[in-house]
Amino acid sequence: MSGINRQIALDVRHIAKHLPETPQMQRLLKKGIAAHVFNDENTMNRVAQSIIEAGDFIGIIREYERYGMFFNQPIGYRISPDSSRIPLYYGEIKINADNQYHVVPRTRPSEE
């Protein structure tokens, strides 16, 4: 079965850290943590909709139900504290116990 076949709600608390040049993204870099960001908000919304409609169930990993999908074009990038960038082609939706989700650009599916 692919896609998410139930009602889920966007958890807006996680949006800013996955968008370029936001204070939340900059905070991760200042802490020495790489940030995984989408190209822009429209890309983030498009990726979320695609995964909801046709994403593959990955499993329950670190207390989140996860669905994901590879894309043909980069959907975002991983930026390191030294400003180096790696293009990202994989999107993942994480759903918590309250059926709230957020979408993350990644290099590959999450693992235990």
Side-chain angles (χ1 to χ4, degrees):
M1 179 172 85
S2 62
I4 301 169
N5 298 314
R6 68 175 191 279
Q7 210 49 8
I8 57 175
L10 179 62
D11 187 347
V12 297
R13 297 174 298 163
H14 298 283
I15 293 174
K17 68 182 172 188
H18 296 299
L19 293 175
E21 305 307 322
T22 60
Q24 293 84 342
M25 177 225 148
Q26 295 295 332
R27 191 175 308 123
L28 290 172
L29 297 176
K30 287 178 185 167
K31 289 181 178 180
I33 301 169
H36 293 73
V37 297
F38 287 98
N39 294 330
D40 53 40
E41 191 168 0
N42 287 336
T43 301
M44 180 183 69
N45 293 333
R46 180 177 51 81
V47 167
Q49 191 59 42
S50 295
I51 296 170
I52 289 169
E53 291 174 3
D56 294 320
F57 178 66
I58 300 164
I60 298 174
I61 303 168
R62 293 183 295 282
E63 300 182 27
Y64 285 92
E65 184 177 339
R66 297 171 190 251
Y67 294 80
M69 173 182 283
F70 279 102
F71 293 85
N72 293 328
Q73 300 293 318
I75 59 171
Y77 53 92
R78 179 188 183 273
I79 184 168
S80 296
D82 69 2
S83 298
S84 63
R85 294 180 182 204
I86 297 170
L88 301 175
Y89 293 83
Y90 189 79
E92 186 172 285
I93 282 184
K94 298 168 59 174
I95 305 171
N96 68 19
D98 296 324
N99 284 317
Q100 294 180 313
Y101 77 92
H102 67 280
V103 61
V104 182
R106 298 183 44 87
T107 54
R108 58 183 162 65
S110 289
E111 299 173 347
E112 278 292 337

